[in-house]
Amino acid sequence: APRPRAWRGSRRRSRPGSRPQTRRSCSGDLDGSGDPGGLGDWLLEVEFGQGPTGCSHVESFKVGKNWQKNLRLIYQRFVWSGTPETRKRKAKSCICHVCSTHMNRLHSCLSCVFFGCFTEKHIHKHAETKQHHLAVDLYHGVIYCFMCKDYVYDKDIEQIAKETKEKILRLLTSTSTDVSHQQFMTSGFEDKQSTCETKEQEPKLVKPKKKRRKKSVYTVGLRGLINLGNTCFMNCIVQALTHIPLLKDFFLSDKHKCIMTSPSLCLVCEMSSLFHAMYSGSRTPHIPYKLLHLIWIHAEHLAGYRQQDAHEFLIAILDVLHRHSKDDSGGQEANNPNCCNCIIDQIFTGGLQSDVTCQACHSVSTTIDPCWDISLDLPGSCATFDSQNPERADSTVSRDDHIPGIPSLTDCLQWFTRPEHLGSSAKIKCNSCQSYQESTKQLTMKKLPIVACFHLKRFEHVGKQRRKINTFISFPLELDMTPFLASTKESRMKEGQPPTDCVPNENKYSLFAVINHHGTLESGHYTSFIRQQKDQWFSCDDAIITKATIEDLLYSEGYLLFYHKQGLEKD
């Protein structure tokens, strides 16, 4: 089986770009994003027993006095800011010393107290002027060498990053007092002060705050996940999958029967272990390094520590789980190769109906394709629809998605299922006319899945231009899919009006997970909201889990929305 490539001495952290799309996704525009991480390099070295050679400029830096304590201080205070509260403090204290902003990939000089924008080259100018060759990315924790013009890896620095992150993690998950927290945050400060050039700035930057830190919450089934280096995209998908009742029952009851030659390569077996770990009652964050390793093997386009897209990862992991769980479908595929009854298809597969109508004779050609999710265009994209002001209105949060002046998930679904004129440049051969004619195409849902996943297409690629669409889309806690069914369209055509007097329960859905993308295309982070019990929501940010309000949920941007059929939900 293919193995991940080993680290090089100076390894470039690639920016996200368009990658091959995995099958079974309905029109997914993919883009990547990353987040703070630091354990991944260490895990790779442990897993494969080898490490890279170092950068000569890093070796020169390590000759300096107290370099380890100074570096620990930077990681403790300015990189591994775990809770939302400490991240807000970091945002206030860490600003570019040139333009006074913090949104352009802020880096900190390793030789003095200087913060500068990487995107605007302010940190580059400082490095050239002061001959300070190394800086640390304050969001990712990786080291950049201005002489090598690349991000570089060093075993000793990686170990310091790992140790400081683990120490902060233990503080966040323990019940230690604020005094011990302050002692930790200020440790090493005196040594740093002795070597800094701008000494008068340091006390203001490093002085600990007296506000009480936010404690993580605990309940069975809610467990944090360690970031292994730009793996927040994986962690948020895992949180959503582990809170699907049917998947939980399947894996916790050990229904999977593995017949693979090497069970250690079976992703379904690993998911079973993961579910048991998530519901073990342990309060310490889980380290999903085996899952990451298997994804690298079975979905090679996701291999490595590059920034990745959460939607792309969702489709990839469903595809691998589908392939590895076919033997659990009771032999139905042998009788019907086009029908799979594995646990993934039982839960996620819906039927998307496409009706192409000839404009000359009005004959209809119908095809039905399976799908695991629905990708929806947003206002502001090239394939946009008419909407009111996309800015958030001053309105009370509601349990439905109808907020005046705000585009909603329902609006996106109506645009998705509208009749679309294909135009003269896309004529098709009509079977009835036996000639090429203009036509209209309309998509509707022939079969609704148990879990409906809606992908809001926030990453757009137009030619060489790439951008993120930040339009706020309101979404409901409860969703009725009846208006978007093929049967509703047929009833409308026959009777002139859709059936509105009674909504079948099997068409009603409840929201149970929301995945959000924060930041830009160049540097971003994924978090998720998870419903643990009825109306009990929690925010999952890698290893940190905190209680969330309905307002926090419904006012979030939304990238992936997960809904569960109400009739099949369990309390």
Side-chain angles (χ1 to χ4, degrees), residues 79-100:
V79 179
W80 305 140
S81 300
T83 66
E85 185 176 334
T86 56
R87 288 187 178 182
K88 290 180 181 178
R89 294 176 187 172
K90 169 184 170 180
K92 292 180 180 179
S93 60
C94 298
I95 60 173
C96 177
H97 288 183
V98 177
C99 63
S100 299

Side-chain angles (χ1 to χ4, degrees), residues 359 420-429 435-440:
Q359 294 297 285
E420 177 185 5
H421 183 66
L422 298 182
S424 58
S425 61
K427 291 183 178 181
I428 62 170
K429 187 174 183 179
S435 61
Y436 288 91
Q437 301 288 347
E438 293 189 21
S439 59
T440 59

Side-chain angles (χ1 to χ4, degrees), residues 444-568:
T444 51
M445 295 302 298
K446 179 65 175 179
K447 173 182 174 292
L448 293 175
I450 294 176
V451 170
C453 174
F454 299 104
H455 165 225
L456 304 183
K457 295 161 67 173
R458 296 197 174 276
F459 304 114
E460 186 172 63
H461 303 264
V462 180
K464 294 183 179 180
Q465 299 295 322
R466 300 165 55 245
R467 67 187 182 111
K468 180 184 176 185
I469 301 171
N470 293 308
T471 304
F472 177 73
I473 303 294
S474 63
F475 48 86
L477 293 178
E478 296 183 352
L479 177 66
D480 174 25
M481 287 294 291
T482 303
F484 314 109
L485 292 175
S487 57
T488 303
K489 172 196 169 186
E490 294 169 359
S491 299
R492 184 186 296 114
M493 295 178 64
K494 292 179 180 178
E495 303 174 9
Q497 292 292 333
T500 57
D501 53 339
C502 179
V503 178
N505 288 332
E506 60 266 22
N507 298 340
K508 290 183 177 180
Y509 286 79
S510 295
L511 184 70
F512 74 91
V514 174
I515 292 174
N516 290 293
H517 176 270
H518 314 271
T520 64
L521 292 176
E522 289 77 17
S523 179
H525 181 54
Y526 285 104
T527 62
S528 60
F529 287 104
I530 300 296
R531 191 189 69 189
Q532 175 74 355
Q533 301 170 356
K534 185 174 178 61
D535 292 334
Q536 295 294 314
W537 287 89
F538 297 88
S539 173
C540 302
D541 186 352
D542 289 332
I544 309 302
I545 297 179
T546 54
K547 191 73 178 293
T549 65
I550 297 295
E551 287 75 16
D552 294 334
L553 168 75
L554 295 181
Y555 274 162
S556 64
E557 188 176 76
Y559 179 54
L560 295 174
L561 310 175
F562 292 85
Y563 286 85
H564 198 290
K565 272 193 175 182
Q566 290 184 354
L568 298 176

Side-chain angles (χ1 to χ4, degrees), residues 199-229:
K199 296 180 181 179
E200 68 280 359
Q201 299 179 10
E202 190 165 10
K204 181 179 179 181
L205 291 174
V206 187
K207 184 177 180 181
K209 306 297 181 180
K210 294 184 178 180
K211 291 183 180 180
R212 186 172 297 272
R213 60 187 173 85
K214 209 171 187 179
K215 290 185 178 180
S216 296
V217 297
Y218 169 74
T219 179
V220 175
L222 278 175
R223 188 176 181 184
L225 294 167
I226 293 293
N227 190 300
L228 303 178

Side-chain angles (χ1 to χ4, degrees), residues 17-307:
S18 57
R19 291 175 290 278
Q21 180 179 349
T22 314
R23 67 179 189 88
R24 291 236 179 184
S25 172
C26 296
S27 66
D29 284 343
L30 307 177
D31 206 286
S33 187
D35 64 310
L39 293 178
D41 308 334
W42 165 71
L43 287 172
L44 180 66
E45 187 174 350
V46 171
E47 183 76 22
F48 302 108
Q50 58 181 353
T53 56
C55 165
S56 60
H57 309 99
V58 171
E59 296 300 324
S60 299
F61 167 77
K62 289 161 58 177
V63 175
K65 184 179 179 181
N66 295 326
W67 73 271
Q68 293 174 315
K69 291 184 178 180
N70 296 341
L71 189 62
R72 283 194 179 95
L73 175 66
I74 294 176
Y75 276 112
Q76 290 169 3
R77 184 59 183 165
F78 303 125
V79 179
W80 305 140
S81 300
T83 66
E85 185 176 334
T86 56
R87 288 187 178 182
K88 290 180 181 178
R89 294 176 187 172
K90 169 184 170 180
K92 292 180 180 179
S93 60
C94 298
I95 60 173
C96 177
H97 288 183
V98 177
C99 63
S100 299
T101 64
H102 59 86
M103 298 301 293
N104 296 315
R105 296 180 61 195
L106 203 63
H107 283 55
S108 173
C109 178
L110 291 188
S111 302
C112 68
V113 176
F114 182 89
F115 299 145
C117 296
F118 192 91
T119 304
E120 300 298 325
K121 305 292 185 181
H122 295 152
I123 189 68
H124 296 71
K125 293 178 181 177
H126 170 80
E128 182 180 359
T129 303
K130 299 291 185 179
Q131 291 297 301
H132 294 166
H133 303 316
L134 301 175
V136 57
D137 187 323
L138 293 182
Y139 203 83
H140 298 283
V142 291
I143 305 299
Y144 188 86
C145 177
F146 293 96
M147 299 299 290
C148 298
K149 297 182 180 180
D150 202 354
Y151 288 98
V152 296
Y153 171 88
D154 179 81
K155 181 179 179 180
D156 297 330
I157 291 179
E158 196 71 23
Q159 184 67 19
I160 291 175
K162 166 183 169 291
E163 290 174 353
T164 54
K165 187 171 186 179
E166 287 180 339
K167 196 168 184 179
I168 283 185
L169 182 60
R170 286 196 297 270
L171 283 172
L172 292 174
T173 55
S174 68
T175 57
S176 58
T177 62
D178 290 334
V179 175
S180 64
H181 179 64
Q182 292 180 7
Q183 290 175 346
F184 171 72
M185 297 304 285
T186 56
S187 62
F189 165 65
E190 294 80 3
D191 299 283
K192 176 69 175 179
Q193 187 178 28
S194 63
T195 58
C196 292
E197 295 179 2
T198 54
K199 296 180 181 179
E200 68 280 359
Q201 299 179 10
E202 190 165 10
K204 181 179 179 181
L205 291 174
V206 187
K207 184 177 180 181
K209 306 297 181 180
K210 294 184 178 180
K211 291 183 180 180
R212 186 172 297 272
R213 60 187 173 85
K214 209 171 187 179
K215 290 185 178 180
S216 296
V217 297
Y218 169 74
T219 179
V220 175
L222 278 175
R223 188 176 181 184
L225 294 167
I226 293 293
N227 190 300
L228 303 178
N230 288 341
T231 59
C232 61
F233 67 92
M234 177 180 73
N235 289 347
C236 61
I237 294 298
V238 168
Q239 292 288 2
L241 294 180
T242 53
H243 285 82
I244 298 175
L246 288 179
L247 270 184
K248 173 186 172 183
D249 292 345
F250 178 84
F251 285 114
L252 294 185
S253 59
D254 299 322
K255 293 181 179 179
H256 171 60
K257 300 177 179 60
C258 183
I259 63 171
M260 291 185 65
T261 306
S262 300
S264 61
L265 297 179
C266 178
L267 186 63
V268 184
C269 291
E270 174 55 30
M271 283 297 291
S272 179
S273 299
L274 180 63
F275 268 81
H276 281 280
M278 296 294 283
Y279 286 91
S280 65
S282 174
R283 300 191 182 194
T284 59
H286 179 65
I287 306 178
Y289 68 95
K290 290 184 179 179
L291 175 65
L292 180 65
H293 181 216
L294 289 179
I295 289 296
W296 286 3
I297 291 176
H298 299 296
E300 295 182 6
H301 61 289
L302 296 177
Y305 290 105
R306 297 184 306 273
Q307 301 174 8

